[in-house]
Amino acid sequence: MWLLYKTWIGQLLLRLPLTWWILTWQHHRIARYADGPKSKQSIKHFIKTYKIDTAAAEKPVEEYDTLQAFFTRRLKPGLRPLAAPDNDTVAVQPADSRCVVYDTVEAAHRFWIKGQHFNIARLMGPGYDTRDHWQHAAIAINRLSPSDIHRLHASVSGTIVKVARHGNKFMGSQFAAIHSRLDIMIENDRIVMEFDSREFGTVVQVMIGASQVGSVVALVKEGQHVKKGDEVAVFAYGGSIMVTLFGVGAISFDDDL
């Protein structure tokens, strides 16, 4: 992947329609395999490769019928207790992952998001005033590896206002890919989910699929009320990224993030 995303030869290849046809074909081929019964035989190898602690899984390994079922497993209840569960003024992390936070989108673009044409308007899609309010939003970025739990959760309590799908590519979510000049976060298949929170105002979570991720599946509908920590979406097989956006002045991130 490093050769594809970080070298001049890879950059040339990514300009060719044939390259994208091959990447898309490979993406769908792996997704179909992960959904099929034959993939059950790959679960043990997957566990060994990514050094997964199976004791944390909701069910014994042998009860998962496909690689996809294991990949989208839940944790045993109680393993990830919520911070201040009865206090909705405290937001929570949406997923098991590595996380970086920035007080402004500009800082995130300068230090972490290297896409050549990245901007907040293209990330969120139509329907948002990105000239002022969202242009200076605070941003939390969660990058999930294949070993993580790919159940995604609401960071805040509130009502689901919008669930929209954008993008049509499946570029990788590896470190080399994200930190290349490619626009993975605004071109990949993704779900944009908007929350109306009494405590934080409008909060937007963007679930971004990647190569080998079969799909991003929303588990909630517009108009539904959720509590922080509730499941709202799931990533199918592969790695992936989640972005949470808070309006100007709506949140103060903990110092240890």
Side-chain angles (χ1 to χ4, degrees):
M1 284 297 178
W2 185 89
L3 290 174
L4 187 62
Y5 294 116
K6 301 290 282 187
T7 68
W8 68 268
I9 294 176
Q11 299 295 308
L12 287 175
L13 288 173
L14 287 171
R15 295 178 185 177
L16 301 176
L18 177 61
T19 302
W20 287 109
W21 183 89
I22 293 172
L23 289 174
T24 301
W25 172 81
Q26 175 76 345
H27 160 81
H28 289 297
R29 184 186 69 82
I30 293 173
R32 285 193 300 270
Y33 172 76
D35 279 326
K38 289 184 178 180
S39 68
K40 184 180 177 71
Q41 64 191 5
S42 299
I43 293 176
K44 289 185 178 180
H45 177 71
F46 182 80
I47 292 169
K48 182 178 180 181
T49 300
Y50 293 104
K51 299 179 175 62
I52 296 172
D53 178 13
T54 58
E58 181 184 43
K59 301 187 296 184
V61 172
E62 57 271 14
E63 292 187 17
Y64 294 96
D65 293 330
T66 65
L67 181 58
Q68 189 76 272
F70 178 75
F71 183 82
T72 57
R73 68 196 179 280
R74 291 184 172 92
L75 286 169
K76 286 180 179 176
L79 284 184
R80 297 291 186 274
L82 289 180
D86 299 320
N87 183 359
D88 283 344
T89 65
V90 178
V92 296
Q93 289 282 358
D96 272 18
S97 62
R98 283 129 299 284
C99 178
V100 292
V101 298
Y102 294 96
D103 290 329
T104 65
V105 173
E106 292 96 328
H109 194 193
R110 188 163 65 249
F111 294 112
W112 204 86
I113 305 168
K114 303 301 182 182
Q116 187 175 8
H117 302 104
F118 174 87
N119 61 57
I120 198 67
R122 295 184 69 185
L123 173 68
M124 299 175 74
Y128 296 96
D129 182 4
T130 57
R131 293 168 298 175
D132 183 21
H133 183 72
W134 291 108
Q135 190 63 42
H136 305 288
I139 182 171
I141 305 170
N142 298 80
R143 187 171 69 87
L144 290 75
S145 75
S147 62
D148 290 321
I149 299 296
H150 281 67
R151 297 277 168 171
L152 310 178
H153 304 265
S155 286
V156 299
S157 298
T159 301
I160 306 295
V161 176
K162 179 188 291 187
V163 179
R165 185 167 228 108
H166 303 293
N168 57 11
K169 290 185 178 180
F170 295 95
M171 291 181 274
S173 63
Q174 298 90 343
F175 186 88
I178 298 170
H179 291 264
S180 72
R181 290 170 61 82
L182 295 172
D183 294 302
I184 290 167
M185 297 180 73
I186 61 175
E187 293 187 13
N188 273 18
D189 177 66
R190 64 195 185 279
I191 285 178
V192 177
M193 191 174 293
E194 178 184 327
F195 299 75
D196 179 20
S197 165
R198 184 176 62 182
E199 292 75 21
F200 294 92
T202 300
V203 176
V204 176
Q205 293 187 265
V206 186
M207 300 88 166
I208 306 165
S211 61
Q212 301 181 9
V213 176
S215 59
V216 188
V217 181
L219 302 177
V220 292
K221 298 179 180 179
E222 293 177 359
Q224 183 175 336
H225 182 80
V226 297
K227 293 288 290 180
K228 69 177 184 182
D230 285 354
E231 285 186 4
V232 294
V234 60
F235 279 124
Y237 180 71
S240 32
I241 309 165
M242 191 167 181
V243 173
T244 305
L245 297 160
F246 296 87
V248 179
I251 193 170
S252 177
F253 292 121
D254 285 352
D255 292 337
D256 60 353
L257 290 177

